Amino acid sequence: MPLLESVPNLSEGRRPEAIARLAAAGRSVDGAHLIGVSSDADHNRSVLTLVGEAGPLVRALLAVYDVAVETVDLRRHRGVHPRLGAVDVVPFVPLAGARMDDAVAAARELGARVAERHGLAVFLYGRAASRPERANLADIRRGGLERLAARLAEPAWAPDFGPARVDPGAGVTVVGARDFLVAFNAELATADVAVARRIAARVREAGGGLPAVKALGLYLEGRGRAQVSMNLTDYRKTPPAAAHAAVSREAAAEGTEVVATEIVGLVPEAALAGTTPEALRLRRFDPELVLETHLRRLGVEG
C-alpha cells in the first residue's frame, strides 16, 4: 500500500506535558507510526513526523488536532517562529509506492474533516493548493494572523474549508502536499539578530541566493544567540552542506561565524551524502534523525 509521511508543525514547544500529549495522539491510531518528535522552546514549536497509509494517518492527525485545539491558546503563545494556528501547518509527502496525487488527496480529506470537526478555517497549500497564490506557504503567512484576518473578508481569500474567520485560541490551519523539505538552522556566534536577518536575506532564493532555500533571521533568547533558520525545499538543489557553506561565508563577511547547526525533524540519507555531522557542526546527530532508519524498521524502502 502507498505510504505517506506527514510533518505537523505545532505551536507548542515549552510545556513537556502538552508535547507528550500531542505525541501520544500521533501514535494513537494503528497503522500510523510516530517516528520523530522535535521541540524548540525559543521557537515555541514542535514538529512531529508520522508515516502510514492515508487513512490511519488522517485519523492520527485528527487526534493531534483534538489535543492541540484543547491545549494551545494563541492568545498566550509567544515564540520567534511565525505561526497562524495551534496546528500551524500539516504537509503530506509521498513515500514508498505513493504518488503526489495520494498526498494531495490526503491533504484535502484532512482539511475537510478538520473544518467540520473543529470549525477552523483551513487553507490548502503546495501541490494541494486550490489556486496559484496559495501554493507558497510564505504568501499565506505574510503579515501574520492579523493580516490574514483582514484578508478573510476578501472573496479571493476565502478558506478552502471552514468559516472565513480566525478562531481566537486556535487560529487557522494550513494543510498541503509537497516533496521532502529539510529544516536546517545555523546558530551564529552573535546575539545581533540584524546580522542573522542580513545573512538570511542574502542566502534565500528570493533574495538571489541559493536555489530552493527559504530563510529567516531569528533571535534565540534561551541561547543568547542569533540564528539563520532555513527550509531547504529541494535538498537536491541545495543540500545542508551547501547551505552551511553559504551561511558560513556570509557570517565571516559580517565578522562572526556559525557555531552550531541543527536539523529539525528527519532528513533523507541522500541529503547528507558527501558530508559529515562534524563538517556541518551539527549540535546533535544520530541515526534516528535519518528517515530511512525508521522506514527500514517498518520494512519499507523510501
Side-chain angles (χ1 to χ4, degrees):
M1 296 294 291
L3 291 184
L4 300 173
E5 177 192 54
S6 185
V7 193
N9 287 231
L10 312 167
S11 295
E12 174 56 72
R14 296 179 180 173
R15 296 178 295 160
E17 69 285 354
I19 297 168
R21 285 189 63 193
L22 291 162
R27 64 170 70 93
S28 65
V29 175
D30 288 343
H33 307 276
L34 179 70
I35 61 174
V37 180
S38 178
S39 299
D40 187 279
D42 287 304
H43 287 226
N44 201 2
R45 192 173 184 85
S46 292
V47 176
L48 308 183
T49 305
L50 295 96
V51 170
E53 296 174 24
L57 203 53
V58 167
R59 292 194 295 274
L61 289 165
L62 286 170
V64 172
Y65 271 93
D66 291 344
V67 174
V69 169
E70 178 188 344
T71 60
V72 178
D73 188 339
L74 293 186
R75 290 167 292 196
R76 295 194 292 270
H77 183 275
R78 299 292 181 272
V80 298
H81 197 287
R83 81 285 179 276
L84 294 176
V87 181
D88 187 48
V89 57
V90 181
F92 287 87
V93 180
L95 290 179
R99 303 167 302 160
M100 185 59 71
D101 286 349
D102 299 314
V104 169
R108 291 176 177 167
E109 179 185 354
L110 178 65
R113 295 182 66 177
V114 166
E116 180 181 8
R117 190 159 170 158
H118 291 293
L120 296 180
V122 180
F123 292 87
L124 296 173
Y125 87 105
R127 299 287 288 274
S130 58
R131 53 190 74 185
E133 61 269 25
R134 298 185 188 181
N136 187 349
L137 179 61
D139 290 336
I140 300 175
R141 277 209 185 115
R142 186 163 290 115
L145 265 178
E146 296 76 13
R147 174 65 182 129
L148 183 60
R151 285 191 291 181
L152 282 172
E154 305 169 13
W157 277 96
D160 292 286
F161 303 103
R165 64 174 180 84
V166 172
D167 183 273
V172 305
T173 190
V174 187
V175 181
R178 59 163 172 77
D179 291 314
F180 283 109
L181 175 153
V182 178
F184 182 64
N185 300 331
E187 187 177 316
L188 305 177
T190 178
D192 189 348
V193 70
V195 170
R197 288 171 179 162
R198 288 196 295 271
I199 293 172
R202 293 198 290 268
V203 301
R204 70 172 70 108
E205 182 175 32
L210 300 170
V213 172
K214 299 179 179 181
L216 295 172
L218 305 172
Y219 175 65
L220 306 180
E221 183 176 358
R223 303 178 194 174
R225 294 190 187 277
Q227 179 189 76
V228 180
S229 178
M230 291 170 282
N231 281 342
L232 314 182
T233 60
D234 187 342
Y235 66 83
R236 298 168 188 84
K237 294 180 178 178
T238 299
H244 175 253
V247 173
S248 295
R249 287 193 300 270
E250 297 296 343
E254 292 278 355
T256 187
E257 64 177 340
V258 174
V259 295
T261 68
E262 62 184 4
I263 291 170
V264 180
L266 303 185
V267 60
E269 281 178 328
L272 300 177
T275 189
T276 65
E278 294 76 20
L280 290 177
R281 296 194 178 185
L282 281 170
R283 183 183 302 279
R284 179 183 73 88
F285 183 81
D286 63 54
E288 297 300 308
L289 284 175
V290 177
L291 174 66
E292 286 83 356
T293 298
H294 301 273
L295 295 183
R296 291 184 191 111
R297 287 180 188 150
L298 298 174
V300 173
E301 292 298 327

